[in-house]
Amino acid sequence: MTVTRTPGHGPLAGVRVVELAGIGPGPFAGMLLADLGADVVRVDRPQDSGLGIDPAYDLTNRNKRSVIVDLKAPDGPARVLDLAGRADILIEGYRPGVAERLGVGPEPCHARNPRLVYGRMTGWGQQGPLAPRAGHDIAYIAVTGTLGMIGDPDAPPAIPANLLGDYAGGSLYLVVGVLAALHHARATGTGQVVDAAIVDGAAHLASMIHGMLAAGAWRDRRGTNLLDGGCPFYGTYETADGQYMAVGALEQQFYEEFMALLGLGQQASAHGDTARWEELREAVAARFKTRTRDEWTAVFEDSDACVAPVLSLREAPAHPHLAARGTFTDHGGITQPSPAPRFSATPASIRGGPAQPGAGTEDVARDWDIPLLLRDGG
């Protein structure tokens, strides 16, 4: 049977994705695919709590449609398999073996649709001693060495929210994986399973650092290296009003401009002299304390000194550069990041707000030609 594709916008228009509801990296990966134009159908569970906030504010569900399926009901797996049969990609974030026990693992899905790309999002991966164990972002990045790189040398590691593990090491690698597998499926007619583990992605993100470590150019102690705050011209400094400025003046020409604008040109020679770095750090810190963040922003804004104000989440959308680019947008009364990256021929967009659980059932049943979704019990 020929299935009519649901029209969409963006480079992934026409790609159909089934997202089995979860929290963290799975929904964000689904949002990214949806932002890029894919028709993402989120399969929510009855009375699913999600993030524990009003679903209207869960931005990771924007641009999606939602259906509710009770996978423990007699016909629950059949509903998901019907969706899988008409999809290009399915993503799930269960512990290993759970999807199989529910009847929606790779084997029955591929029996229904051999071209399907089956994306699996976990912290520990599908194999290994910790695979069946629970976990969260902080544990995954802890064992890979990435958490231990962040923060001051004599303080506990700094926690980077859940951006480094869940989203960078997890969601982005899942999206890269399923799109690469989709390319292969379209070329060969054969789908496959993509095992995206946060521990793998988080470790992979540190590839450059591992190379530097092997070359003797990186110390295995946080806060003592060029890019981790150990360098006085790559870090953050407090201003007179208790705010902060970020400095990234690594190259000599940028460093010299930074020091001149800071009013410390006479100490510019300390750039390559690590023995003087502590002295330099103290001088830079004292100088930044003499003016407010906004005053220093004005000093550096038209320069190549690589200095920027550290803004809060609420302040960021008003930054002149971000405002000019439309990096943030308002949709449905919520200020939120715009889709990224940008495409010259197939621009992405926010087509709808966060999917409300079950609200897309009728439309999906019609567009995907799955009448079973409309029967009682789903």
Side-chain angles (χ1 to χ4, degrees), residues 16-326:
R16 285 181 166 174
V17 180
V18 176
E19 175 195 328
L20 302 186
I23 60 173
F28 186 84
M31 184 201 77
L32 181 52
L33 294 168
D35 281 357
L36 299 183
D39 181 8
V40 178
V41 172
R42 177 178 166 95
V43 180
D44 281 302
R45 290 165 285 189
Q47 301 176 332
D48 186 21
S49 60
L51 287 177
I53 64 173
D54 184 337
Y57 293 94
D58 187 353
L59 296 178
T60 63
N61 286 328
R62 73 185 186 191
N63 283 338
K64 303 175 186 178
R65 297 188 287 183
S66 168
V67 300
I68 293 178
V69 175
D70 183 357
L71 279 168
K72 296 181 180 179
D75 64 350
R79 294 169 188 255
V80 170
L81 293 176
D82 276 353
L83 287 165
R86 290 158 172 77
D88 299 290
I89 298 167
L90 182 148
I91 59 177
E92 58 93 356
Y94 302 137
R95 292 198 208 187
V98 172
E100 284 83 352
R101 290 197 297 273
L102 292 171
V104 294
E107 186 173 344
C109 284
H110 281 140
R112 185 70 64 90
N113 180 0
R115 301 171 63 93
L116 181 71
V117 172
Y118 194 104
R120 317 198 81 165
M121 182 75 260
T122 61
W124 302 116
Q126 297 298 310
Q127 293 87 30
L130 292 176
R133 302 275 71 85
H136 278 296
D137 173 294
I138 192 168
Y140 309 138
I141 64 174
V143 301
T144 60
T146 48
L147 178 61
M149 292 193 301
I150 304 171
D152 295 331
D154 299 317
I159 301 171
N162 69 328
L163 302 178
L164 181 55
D166 278 353
Y167 295 150
S171 304
L172 297 185
Y173 279 85
L174 176 63
V175 169
V176 169
V178 297
L179 292 182
L182 178 62
H183 175 75
H184 175 266
R186 289 185 166 178
T188 65
T190 305
Q192 60 183 303
V193 176
V194 177
D195 175 4
I198 295 173
V199 290
D200 295 347
H204 192 260
L205 287 169
S207 295
M208 182 192 76
I209 305 299
H210 279 280
M212 295 176 69
L213 183 67
W218 189 275
R219 296 178 62 192
D220 198 10
R221 183 168 182 257
R222 64 179 169 276
T224 61
N225 297 283
L226 190 66
L227 301 174
D228 64 358
C231 170
F233 38 90
Y234 197 89
T236 56
Y237 290 92
E238 188 176 1
T239 55
D241 55 346
Q243 301 296 316
Y244 291 86
M245 297 294 290
V247 177
L250 289 175
E251 293 82 359
Q252 182 69 38
Q253 69 270 30
F254 303 148
Y255 169 78
E256 290 176 357
E257 187 168 357
F258 162 63
M259 293 296 284
L261 290 172
L262 195 63
L264 294 175
Q266 71 279 8
Q267 293 180 261
S269 60
H271 179 270
D273 187 354
T274 56
R276 296 178 59 193
W277 274 9
E278 191 56 38
E279 166 198 338
L280 179 59
R281 189 191 314 277
E282 292 175 1
V284 170
R287 185 64 179 153
F288 269 117
K289 279 288 192 75
T290 64
R291 299 186 186 181
T292 67
R293 186 188 67 180
D294 289 348
E295 289 172 335
W296 282 119
T297 298
V299 169
F300 289 106
E301 64 182 351
D302 293 322
S303 77
D304 279 339
C306 302
V307 178
V310 178
L311 304 182
S312 71
L313 290 173
R314 293 192 184 278
E315 290 176 316
H319 186 276
H321 181 78
L322 305 186
R325 283 184 58 81

